[in-house]
Amino acid sequence: MLVKAIQEACLKILEEEGPEQLTTQRIADVAGINIASLYQYFPNKEAILAEVFQEQVKQYKAAALERVVEIERLSRVSLEDTLAAIVDMEVEQRLMLQRMDPEFYRAYQHSFDIHRQINELQISRSHPGWDEWLASFLRRHKAKLRSNDIDKLSRIASHALSGVLLSASSEEPELLEQASFRQELVTLLLRYLCKSD
């Protein structure tokens, strides 16, 4: 109960006052507890943030599973629309956490890999994992692809997307907010995967 109050106070401060106002004392004040009680459960502000971030990831995973169903539907119809939906979902995952506390997310983003967690959840439900799904999706559109080595295309496209997003999150997080950035990512993937006209 007290842990939940601390987490809710942290989230409230992030949403209403911003990350620059987040201190253990402020969290204790908003939670209505003394600082000694807070330290019984959390050694520092970062530990509280980690719990809050992980809770947000957990909540996002449920919504993401619904998006995965929509992406699967799109994958049967359009290569470009599916790639755009994948890029949107990947960017939104990072934005959700980055907006909470940009500095904390930048420093610890490897600990909050939503993509990996959704992938693990899919596999646990006997659905194909990301790598298997992406290769299968590309096989559906093999007439448009520039190579018959779909497994290689799939791996490189996946790594390219992950690498660009990780780099942007770490070095230029403002790019994630730009629709033109998302479109450039889709263009990058399409130009890599598809035959030239």
Side-chain angles (χ1 to χ4, degrees):
M1 182 96 152
L2 196 56
V3 169
K4 188 72 173 163
I6 293 168
Q7 291 171 338
E8 288 173 359
C10 178
L11 191 56
K12 182 177 182 175
I13 294 165
L14 289 171
E15 290 173 349
E16 295 178 7
E17 300 173 27
E20 54 284 339
Q21 300 302 316
L22 193 67
T23 64
T24 51
Q25 184 61 58
R26 184 71 184 125
I27 294 168
D29 291 345
V30 171
I33 62 172
N34 68 44
I35 193 79
S37 296
L38 182 143
Y39 284 126
Q40 286 182 321
Y41 296 96
F42 296 100
N44 54 40
K45 171 179 83 171
E46 287 75 17
I48 300 167
L49 275 169
E51 288 288 324
V52 169
F53 269 58
Q54 197 55 49
E55 182 59 33
Q56 293 298 305
V57 168
K58 183 179 172 184
Q59 290 176 17
Y60 186 86
K61 282 191 317 190
L65 289 176
E66 293 176 21
R67 300 227 14 221
V68 167
V69 171
E70 175 62 18
I71 288 171
E72 175 60 28
R73 186 194 63 72
L74 269 176
S75 75
R76 299 181 186 289
V77 179
S78 169
L79 177 69
E80 184 171 352
D81 291 346
T82 302
L83 291 174
I86 290 168
V87 166
D88 283 345
M89 188 168 99
E90 292 288 328
V91 168
E92 287 165 17
Q93 293 168 5
R94 285 162 177 80
L95 275 175
M96 175 202 52
L97 296 175
Q98 191 229 338
R99 286 177 180 147
M100 288 172 55
D101 189 324
E103 292 304 315
F104 180 81
Y105 179 63
R106 202 168 317 168
Y108 298 102
Q109 65 182 302
H110 61 278
S111 299
F112 305 103
D113 186 346
I114 300 174
H115 177 90
R116 179 186 50 77
Q117 292 184 37
I118 293 169
N119 190 50
E120 290 170 357
L121 185 58
Q122 284 287 94
I123 292 169
S124 75
R125 293 179 169 191
S126 301
H127 296 290
W130 166 248
D131 293 331
E132 183 183 343
W133 181 87
L134 184 60
S136 173
F137 157 62
L138 291 176
R139 281 187 189 88
R140 286 187 209 130
H141 299 279
K142 64 183 175 186
K144 295 180 179 181
L145 302 181
R146 63 178 187 79
S147 170
N148 290 329
D149 192 346
I150 293 174
D151 289 333
K152 185 186 291 181
L153 288 176
S154 175
R155 276 192 308 280
I156 292 173
S158 178
H159 290 305
L161 178 60
S162 296
V164 169
L165 290 172
L166 179 61
S167 178
S169 296
S170 299
E171 299 166 16
E172 298 179 85
E174 66 280 358
L175 288 175
L176 299 175
E177 300 279 359
Q178 299 172 11
S180 61
F181 174 73
R182 293 181 191 201
Q183 185 54 52
E184 285 297 318
L185 274 175
V186 173
T187 300
L188 172 83
L189 292 171
L190 286 169
R191 287 189 179 162
Y192 171 70
L193 292 168
C194 297
K195 297 174 186 173
S196 58
D197 294 332

